Amino acid sequence: MSVSTSVQSSHWQGLISAYRSWLPVSATTPIVSLHEGNTPLLRADHLSSVTGCDVWLKVEGANPTGSFKDRGMTVAISKALEANERNTIVCASTGNTSASAAAYAARAGLAAAVLVPKGRIAPGKLAQAIRYGARIIEVAGSFDDCLRIARELAEHHPVTLVNSVNDHRLAGQQTVAFEIVDALGWAPDIHCLPVGNAGNITATWRGYTAYAAAKRCTDRPRIWGFQAAGAAPLVHGSVVARPRTVASAIEIGNPASRNGALSARDDSGGLISAVTDEQILDAYRLLAMREGVFVEPASATGVAGLLAEHGRGRLDAGQRVVVTLTGNGLKDHETSMAGGYDSIEASPHTADVARTMKLLP
Ligand code: F0G
């Protein structure tokens, strides 16, 4: 029996293959891909009826390592290979970047070192970085400390930085906007997303701008970015020395792409505001229980923000809204289990189980 390696041309082969002409790659760039992208864009019926808007969810947790980071990483690691940087790639991370960097480095045959704030990242993300074989460096400090060190390492040593200060990351991440316009046939009126280090808000706006310039869409959305109240430097206008939030992925006090985020906000006529941990957790539960999408807490921040703005009367009815859900809920099972859960103990007999379910008297 022969083994065929050919695939149907309609088979999705990752976003560099799909959006090659929009990305900084050439025919000779070695493509490192896990077939990221092409994530579900779901109509959110419950959120639409609550807000009186047409709300859509871009489910980025469906990417190969469970977050939107794979969009940028396929480009960053491919470019690192092209430059023949067969050295170690390094990143600072609240967890998802480290998981993604470790996976793409493994696929490329590169060594990866990831710097994470000790005790501040969700266990599923650490489990990923461990299994993909990265060198894990747990820094007794914040994400911001990790990023400062990673940048200094890249300046003085032969290591390649793959945080979103590497522009190839932003180039890849802009494809989320392309996919949304390609799927809907239009750009939304408002695009909501969480903001941490501010790379994704910068890249999302860049993507809509590139598509509008090429006449793929007529309008660009207002960008509504949301930070956690305990980690909201862009809302307060100053660095937060000791950021704290249940949404560990966005527990960042000094965002690297601050200027990109402020431009996205101002050029789009949008906003960046803060939501409390309680609002984030309410949205986290709502997304799972009403829309059937299990996200990690940080990823519910865009929905928390949308609902908060609706409550403040700032969301006009009839708007077309897309919300990026940035990462998968399984990465942070601890938050789901926190506070316990209801269950019923039963013996291994159908009649007994039926009684506990009130199917029998
Ligand atoms: N949502 C999730 C799940 C994230 O992991 C991040 C960032 C964000 C939102 C915010 O995106 O930083 O581009 O503004 N995570 C980074 C990391 C910091 O290290 O995984 P951003």
Side-chain angles (χ1 to χ4, degrees):
M1 198 175 76
S2 72
V3 178
S4 169
T5 54
S6 70
V7 290
Q8 299 282 319
S9 60
S10 60
H11 173 67
W12 180 263
Q13 293 179 62
L15 57 85
I16 294 181
S17 164
Y19 293 108
R20 180 173 277 280
S21 67
W22 302 85
L23 297 171
V25 294
S26 71
T28 55
T29 309
I31 304 306
V32 184
S33 174
L34 289 162
H35 293 193
E36 59 295 311
N38 196 24
T39 54
L41 181 64
L42 298 177
R43 177 119 194 316
D45 291 342
H46 177 73
L47 285 166
S48 296
S49 83
V50 167
T51 58
C53 290
D54 185 20
V55 182
W56 296 77
L57 305 171
K58 186 64 170 159
V59 186
E60 290 290 278
N63 275 300
T65 77
S67 84
F68 72 96
K69 304 289 182 179
D70 296 344
R71 292 183 184 276
M73 212 53 78
T74 182
V75 179
I77 300 291
S78 297
K79 293 301 284 185
L81 256 194
E82 180 179 27
N84 206 18
E85 286 163 355
R86 294 203 162 269
N87 49 31
T88 298
I89 60 122
V90 67
C91 69
S93 183
T94 55
N96 283 321
T97 299
S98 69
S100 185
Y104 284 80
R107 198 156 171 86
L110 298 173
V114 303
L115 280 68
V116 299
K118 185 168 174 54
R120 308 297 309 168
I121 83 169
K125 302 174 187 179
L126 195 54
Q128 289 180 285
I130 292 167
R131 191 53 44 231
Y132 291 128
R135 177 171 296 274
I136 318 280
I137 301 162
E138 298 188 287
V139 175
S142 65
F143 167 84
D144 304 291
D145 292 319
C146 295
L147 184 56
R148 173 180 51 78
I149 295 165
R151 294 174 96 146
E152 286 169 8
L153 287 174
E155 210 172 295
H156 300 295
H157 302 276
V159 296
T160 303
L161 186 65
V162 296
N163 278 104
S164 56
V165 293
N166 175 334
D167 201 61
H168 297 135
R169 283 274 314 279
L170 299 187
Q173 283 176 210
Q174 69 180 325
T175 58
V176 72
F178 302 166
E179 287 184 14
I180 290 164
V181 172
D182 288 345
L184 297 174
W186 35 264
D189 301 308
I190 297 169
H191 187 121
C192 298
L193 77 174
V195 178
N197 208 28
N200 208 31
I201 186 173
T202 304
T204 300
W205 177 239
R206 192 189 282 188
Y208 283 118
T209 300
Y211 246 32
K215 308 239 174 332
R216 296 290 183 109
C217 51
T218 46
D219 301 305
R220 295 177 295 174
R222 282 179 283 150
I223 304 290
W224 285 11
F226 298 99
Q227 301 201 286
L234 298 175
V235 180
H236 305 312
S238 56
V239 168
V240 176
R242 203 166 172 274
R244 280 290 178 269
T245 170
V246 67
S248 59
I250 53 171
E251 193 176 77
I252 294 174
N254 188 13
S257 296
R258 176 182 178 280
N259 292 339
L262 299 181
S263 300
R265 178 193 68 188
D266 298 340
D267 296 350
S268 75
L271 56 82
I272 298 178
S273 61
V275 286
T276 64
D277 279 5
E278 201 182 346
Q279 288 172 311
I280 291 171
L281 290 174
D282 283 347
Y284 166 79
R285 287 184 282 261
L286 178 149
L287 275 166
M289 297 172 74
R290 303 305 296 259
E291 303 290 2
V293 186
F294 184 26
V295 298
E296 62 169 292
S299 306
T301 305
V303 168
L306 179 70
L307 292 171
E309 296 305 325
H310 171 66
R312 290 188 189 115
R314 285 207 257 185
L315 180 67
D316 293 337
Q319 299 283 291
R320 299 179 300 187
V321 183
V322 172
V323 189
T324 312
L325 304 182
T326 46
N328 194 301
L330 289 171
K331 285 173 174 277
D332 183 0
H333 68 279
E334 279 184 344
T335 299
S336 182
M337 308 288 282
Y341 57 96
D342 290 335
S343 76
I344 302 164
E345 299 212 354
S347 67
H349 303 288
T350 307
D352 195 31
V353 174
R355 263 190 295 278
T356 68
M357 292 173 68
K358 307 219 181 331
L359 299 172
L360 287 175

